[in-house]
Amino acid sequence: MAVAFSLTKAFFEWFSASDGVAALHKKHIEGDVALHMLKGTPMAAAPDSLKLDFARSGAGQAVANFMKAEQQHIGGWKVDRIVEAAGSEFNAVCWRQRLLEEVASSQVVLFSFVDCPWCLLAKERLAAIEGNEAWLPAGSVRTIKLEARGRDGKALRAAIAAATGRTSMPSVWVGGRCVGGFTDGDMPSGEPGLC
């Protein structure tokens, strides 16, 4: 167990210092929309049904476990990169307020990427209970697609990361509090009162 932890830690230390990741991060900073690790891959272009099958599969669980380990080892580093990618004009105080307004807009707010398998899975599961549970009447789930917001989506993702300590999507908020997503491990332990 200690050897596996040591190897995992070494991998993420290498990953965070790699030239390839630095190049991808530079592209993210220069781009006009929020990016994620599957963006530009065949998985992102696959039909939604295949993405859902993947998210439910053993391979999808392996990727989710990888992302949990990533959060454990380099979560703070990733938050810093996401905030940096939001641009020099990013104002943490203003965007925190925007985040609070967004999460107060509905009983459940789901921040997502359009092509993320786990975001689709969260939407599917919320749709299955929306209108069927007393606490979640029909019309009380709002989905916010970060790419559709352009640079504002990048800033909103940075505000989410700063508030929750998490960078993965989906980010699900119930009653104005973050309850996590599918790939980020334990409950978010970010800002008290928001997580």
Side-chain angles (χ1 to χ4, degrees):
M1 182 77 141
V3 171
F5 181 83
S6 179
L7 288 173
T8 303
K9 182 179 177 188
F11 170 79
F12 285 115
E13 287 172 356
W14 166 83
F15 177 87
S16 62
S18 76
D19 291 341
V21 169
L24 287 173
H25 179 60
K26 183 176 186 277
K27 187 176 175 180
H28 190 201
I29 290 171
E30 295 167 351
D32 289 329
V33 296
L35 298 177
H36 61 84
M37 76 173 212
L38 294 177
K39 189 66 80 184
T41 68
M43 177 58 69
D48 288 353
S49 61
L50 290 179
K51 290 176 194 162
L52 286 166
D53 288 346
F54 174 77
R56 292 183 190 108
S57 74
Q61 186 58 52
V63 172
N65 289 339
F66 172 85
M67 294 176 74
K68 289 174 187 175
E70 179 185 65
Q71 174 63 35
Q72 179 183 6
H73 292 285
I74 59 171
W77 175 85
K78 282 191 69 186
V79 168
D80 292 344
R81 300 294 80 73
I82 296 299
V83 169
E84 182 180 21
S88 59
E89 67 282 356
F90 176 72
N91 180 313
V93 173
C94 291
W95 279 99
R96 180 186 182 282
Q97 184 57 41
R98 277 280 292 279
L99 173 62
L100 293 175
E101 292 166 5
E102 296 285 8
V103 300
S105 68
S106 192
Q107 175 61 19
V108 175
V109 177
L110 168 70
F111 295 97
S112 76
F113 289 123
V114 295
D115 50 10
C116 164
W118 297 273
C119 296
L120 292 170
L121 191 56
K123 289 179 206 176
E124 179 184 78
R125 290 192 180 170
L126 287 168
I129 62 171
E130 184 180 17
N132 296 316
E133 298 284 338
W135 69 273
L136 193 59
S140 60
V141 175
R142 179 174 176 224
T143 300
I144 297 174
K145 298 174 183 171
L146 294 174
E147 297 100 330
R149 300 274 182 109
R151 293 199 73 74
D152 283 358
K154 289 174 75 170
L156 194 52
R157 184 179 186 202
I160 294 166
T164 66
R166 304 298 173 114
T167 61
S168 64
M169 294 294 138
S171 182
V172 181
W173 297 66
V174 177
R177 295 175 61 97
C178 182
V179 297
F182 276 101
T183 60
D184 50 11
D186 298 329
M187 291 294 289
S189 58
E191 189 176 325
L194 289 183
C195 299

